[in-house]
Amino acid sequence: MSDVVKSLPTRLTAAVDMSAAPSREEAEAAVRTLIRWAGDDPTREGLHDTPKRVAKAFKEFYSGYDEDPSDILDKIFSEVEGYDNIVLVRDIPFYSHCEHHLVPFYGVAHVAYYPTKGVVGLSKLARLVDAYARRLQTQETMTSQIANAMVDALDPRGVAVMIEAEHMCMSMRGIQKAGALTLTTQFTGVFKDDPAEQVRFLTLVRNRG
């Protein structure tokens, strides 16, 4: 396991212990409290069923806690006729929630690697992005998690991950700069050691021709 993964808090590398989780009734009660805090009446018609809907939505928003990234990447196809060049899946859309304000950030992820012992199904890379996106996150942590999960599972010659996202905590509150994008990258192996490989990755990501 990489040193970066080892250094991440347990809450980010393991599933939440749901045996200690509040009940659905407690979650719905918390939503009613927040509605009152916002200045509205949770018993009025339009808000009566909102706590149930929010609790249900949370299960979907944060379903990544139920996903084990190592299971997603556990099947490797070795019969690739000796292919050992770059594999890139770009423009993978995702939606996540900022762990600081519980508001969304969303965008696209670009993921590439140089295979050694084989390749994984392309849809697995999109599932890996979702597994980490559907948690309380920071963009920086999510970028590192995706890269390190691929290193651990695939033992590739190198991994490159770029995430571009707009953060609602910056767009709709605080400084309120809608449309500003945050870009993060993580490089390992040949992508980290060879600047030319970074340029190749960035060129392939940006080339729409």
Side-chain angles (χ1 to χ4, degrees):
M1 181 177 292
S2 68
D3 291 338
V4 174
V5 169
K6 289 179 181 178
S7 67
L8 290 174
T10 301
R11 65 182 176 83
L12 294 175
T13 56
V16 173
D17 179 9
M18 294 306 293
S19 64
S23 67
R24 185 177 183 117
E25 290 74 19
E26 290 173 309
E28 292 176 9
V31 175
R32 284 189 285 271
T33 297
L34 288 174
I35 291 173
R36 291 197 300 272
W37 171 256
D40 214 322
D41 177 8
T43 65
R44 71 176 175 84
E45 182 180 12
L47 292 172
H48 183 266
D49 290 328
T50 295
K52 293 180 181 179
R53 297 189 188 102
V54 171
K56 182 178 180 180
F58 264 46
K59 294 295 289 183
E60 183 175 353
F61 292 158
Y62 305 120
S63 60
Y65 288 115
D66 297 325
E67 293 271 12
D68 185 339
S70 62
D71 289 341
I72 295 173
L73 301 176
D74 66 348
K75 185 172 180 55
I76 297 175
F77 300 97
S78 59
E79 295 182 4
V80 290
E81 300 297 332
Y83 184 85
D84 61 359
N85 212 320
I86 191 171
V87 177
L88 166 66
V89 180
R90 70 184 187 191
D91 298 324
I92 303 170
F94 73 88
Y95 300 87
S96 190
H97 284 79
C98 165
E99 66 182 33
H100 300 142
H101 301 99
L102 299 189
V103 295
F105 68 93
Y106 61 93
V108 293
H110 316 288
V111 180
Y113 69 104
Y114 275 100
T116 53
K117 56 186 179 182
V119 300
V120 292
L122 300 179
S123 66
K124 302 293 187 179
L125 299 181
R127 280 190 59 195
L128 181 66
V129 170
D130 274 348
Y132 284 118
R134 293 181 179 272
R135 306 181 183 195
L136 294 174
Q137 275 290 14
T138 68
Q139 183 174 332
E140 298 87 344
T141 298
M142 178 177 159
T143 307
S144 293
Q145 288 174 327
I146 294 169
N148 286 302
M150 294 178 64
V151 168
D152 288 342
L154 306 178
D155 192 27
R157 289 196 290 126
V159 170
V161 177
M162 176 191 291
I163 293 179
E164 303 173 81
E166 180 171 357
H167 293 247
M168 292 296 98
C169 58
M170 185 176 173
S171 299
M172 65 185 292
R173 61 162 298 282
I175 197 169
Q176 297 185 20
K177 297 298 182 184
L181 293 179
T182 298
L183 188 151
T184 52
T185 59
Q186 183 81 1
F187 300 112
T188 75
V190 294
F191 288 107
K192 183 176 182 179
D193 298 334
D194 187 348
E197 290 295 346
Q198 296 181 24
V199 171
R200 184 186 186 196
F201 168 72
L202 297 173
T203 300
L204 288 172
V205 165
R206 297 303 184 198
N207 183 10
R208 304 302 186 195

